Amino acid sequence: MTAAPDAPKALDPRALQDLRRAVGADHLMVDPDLTASYATDWTGRFTGTPSAVIRPGTVAEVAEVVALCRDAAIALVPQGGNTGLVGGGVPLAGEAVLSLRRLSGIGDIDPRAGQLTAGAGTSVSEVQAAALAAGWAYGVDLGSRDSATVGGTVATNAGGLQVLRHGATRTQLTGVEAVLGTGAVVSHLGGLLKDNTGYDLAGLLCGSEGTLGVVTSARLRLVPPNPERVVALLAFSSTVDAVDAGFLLRRSLSELQSLELFLRAGLELVCRVTGAPRPFPDPYPVFLLAEVAGPTDPMPAMAAALDSVRAVADVAVATDSTRRAQLWRYREGHTEAINSLGAPHKLDVTVPAPALAAFIDRVPGVVADVDPGATTWLFGHAADGNIHVNVTGVAADDLAVDDRVLSYAAELGGSISAEHGIGTAKRPWLHLNRSEAEIAAFRSIKGALDPAGILNPNVLLPPV
């Protein structure tokens, strides 16, 4: 595990007293037995030791906590469901954790506008359920839907399984309430679709990884429900065939909602760990999982599209919910199965469409050239060029593989972070995608909204 180099400095007794008064004695924790669950990220690769865990229950309490910490020079790491993958939500340098889990719940739901307001600690699955009850759906879906929170998904501009159709979290965001690093509260939750009255603070805070402000609530756009769904698992003899088929499906199938890619090694690992049966008798090298959805039966459109894909070697189609879930398990089981081998290096990247197939075929060799003992596992979102490069068999603090994979993606014109942000893990490589002028602009914005530099000071921006 990657740990903080030094033990955290104990907080001043007066600061502790003030924070305890602000949130209540039960919601300020310093006992290591109580704070341990906040100290390690979901991957198990990043762990630290918080100086305290602070659990406010209202936006007013968040504002008071931030103001107290600003005055006492206490660094804060905002944390939601702690499902991040790049060390951005854990106290690697002994910061205090500002847990937002108590800020949960669905507020105003407007069935006519198709919007709702959710507290930062509300899980994605709770938003999905509330939207469904109101006759709508939520356009963001993640494998970690039951634990990932609204605040965390806004902070990282989370993508997930339906970006192809609905866009990432920023696309769903029509307003935010947040506490800036100054302790000031900004609230713009009206949800107007047309509102040209200045800077888009919601868009700015989305993806800022808690470095500018603490998101306490979000106004979310909902999408029409598409209850009729069909899932197809397609097998291919080559990566090029699979990638080309994915682009064809995306162009020809307007009902396409998700398009996922994985390889034989990952499928076999999922089957071994979960006990799921192999979907096909033959060991094909590459697979696509396609889901189509609509208000009426999308099966005819799916069948017509599949007929046009000549390179499909085998196919399994599911229309009922149980069988659909079984096919999805082959894709969603990857993270669990890979983690069973030990904490992986998770290198979430995007590459341009023309380079996607070559990247998938070549990156295992790129890794092997750096560390012959490492194993590379690839899966991801084929429609948007996002590949999750997972590497096992490498020490947590050995960054040589990370450097080569991220550099290779950037050399192809890609991004070093497609979904999970920069966090702590990717700070040394931000320059591969952002110019000196851009990073300077980032620092200026940070200085304006968090002048004391207390909000997540050890993520995103490289050390000066």
Side-chain angles (χ1 to χ4, degrees):
M1 296 181 183
T2 300
D6 300 302
K9 184 172 64 175
L11 297 186
D12 178 79
R14 180 172 180 178
L16 282 173
Q17 180 180 354
D18 290 340
L19 291 168
R20 189 173 289 111
R21 173 184 50 78
V23 300
D26 291 340
H27 301 295
L28 177 69
M29 300 181 291
V30 294
D31 185 334
D33 291 337
L34 299 177
T35 63
S37 64
Y38 300 84
T40 301
D41 81 329
W42 191 85
T43 69
R45 181 183 171 196
F46 298 97
T47 190
T49 307
S51 56
V53 172
I54 310 163
R55 294 166 29 94
T58 66
V59 63
E61 289 183 2
V62 174
E64 186 172 3
V65 167
V66 171
L68 288 169
C69 290
R70 175 202 62 202
D71 294 342
I74 298 171
L76 291 170
V77 173
Q79 188 183 101
N82 201 13
T83 58
L85 303 178
V86 290
V90 289
L92 298 180
E95 305 94 334
V97 169
L98 181 64
S99 172
L100 302 172
R101 296 179 192 176
R102 293 181 63 212
L103 274 69
S104 62
I106 305 296
D108 175 47
I109 302 177
D110 187 342
R112 290 171 295 182
Q115 295 183 359
L116 61 76
T117 299
T122 310
S123 71
V124 170
S125 64
E126 289 172 325
V127 173
Q128 292 172 336
L132 187 63
W136 291 84
Y138 184 46
V140 172
D141 191 27
L142 315 162
S144 58
R145 63 185 69 85
D146 292 329
S147 50
T149 61
V150 166
T153 57
V154 171
T156 57
N157 187 30
L161 303 170
Q162 298 179 10
V163 170
L164 165 66
R165 189 160 188 173
H166 301 303
T169 297
R170 185 177 282 114
T171 308
Q172 325 306 324
L173 200 59
T174 62
V176 296
E177 175 187 80
V179 178
L180 304 181
T182 60
V185 177
V186 293
S187 184
H188 204 70
L189 295 170
L192 297 176
L193 297 183
K194 290 186 174 181
D195 184 9
N196 284 333
T197 54
Y199 301 127
D200 181 7
L201 290 179
L204 178 62
L205 291 170
C206 186
S208 67
E209 302 186 47
T211 61
L212 305 178
V214 180
V215 173
T216 53
S217 291
R219 187 68 173 171
L220 301 172
R221 175 181 74 96
L222 305 178
V223 299
N226 290 302
E228 299 297 325
R229 300 189 177 194
V230 176
V231 174
L233 182 62
L234 313 175
F236 297 88
S237 299
S238 73
T239 306
V240 170
D241 285 344
V243 169
D244 286 347
F247 293 143
L248 176 62
L249 291 175
R250 183 180 180 187
R251 185 172 65 245
S252 62
L253 196 54
S254 60
E255 295 88 348
L256 189 62
Q257 180 156 286
S258 300
L259 188 65
E260 303 295 300
L261 180 146
F262 50 92
L263 306 181
R264 179 170 62 202
L267 173 66
E268 291 178 349
L269 179 64
V270 168
C271 292
R272 187 162 67 247
V273 170
T274 67
R278 287 179 172 82
F280 305 112
D282 295 326
Y284 299 106
V286 190
F287 303 88
L288 288 180
L289 187 144
E291 179 174 275
V292 292
T296 58
D297 183 11
M299 187 64 203
M302 169 72 96
L306 293 180
D307 284 343
S308 68
V309 182
R310 303 300 180 192
V312 176
D314 209 340
V315 61
V317 177
T319 56
D320 66 275
S321 60
T322 299
R323 181 58 177 152
R324 291 199 306 266
Q326 289 172 345
L327 293 184
W328 264 109
R329 183 62 171 157
Y330 294 120
R331 163 59 178 87
E332 291 197 314
H334 270 66
T335 299
E336 172 193 350
I338 293 167
N339 275 22
S340 73
L341 304 176
H345 287 236
K346 302 186 79 67
L347 305 171
D348 165 52
V349 300
T350 304
V351 295
L356 182 58
F359 178 84
I360 293 169
D361 284 341
R362 294 173 185 169
V363 77
V366 169
V367 170
D369 286 344
V370 178
D371 188 339
T375 303
T376 303
W377 310 90
L378 302 174
F379 61 97
H381 313 299
D384 51 34
N386 176 195
I387 297 299
H388 301 298
V389 182
N390 283 230
V391 183
T392 56
V394 179
D397 56 356
D398 184 349
L399 302 180
V401 166
D402 301 49
D403 179 69
R404 189 64 201 103
V405 171
L406 297 177
S407 297
Y408 179 44
E411 289 163 10
L412 296 174
S415 169
I416 65 170
S417 179
E419 292 191 312
H420 304 299
I422 297 299
T424 297
K426 295 183 179 180
R427 290 171 79 198
W429 296 280
L430 183 61
H431 69 277
L432 294 176
N433 284 143
R434 295 295 189 171
S435 67
E436 290 184 10
E438 287 176 303
I439 294 174
F442 290 175
R443 294 192 191 281
S444 295
I445 296 169
K446 168 80 169 170
L449 300 187
D450 179 27
I454 64 165
L455 296 182
N456 232 0
N458 298 301
V459 308
L460 183 57
L461 296 173
V464 178

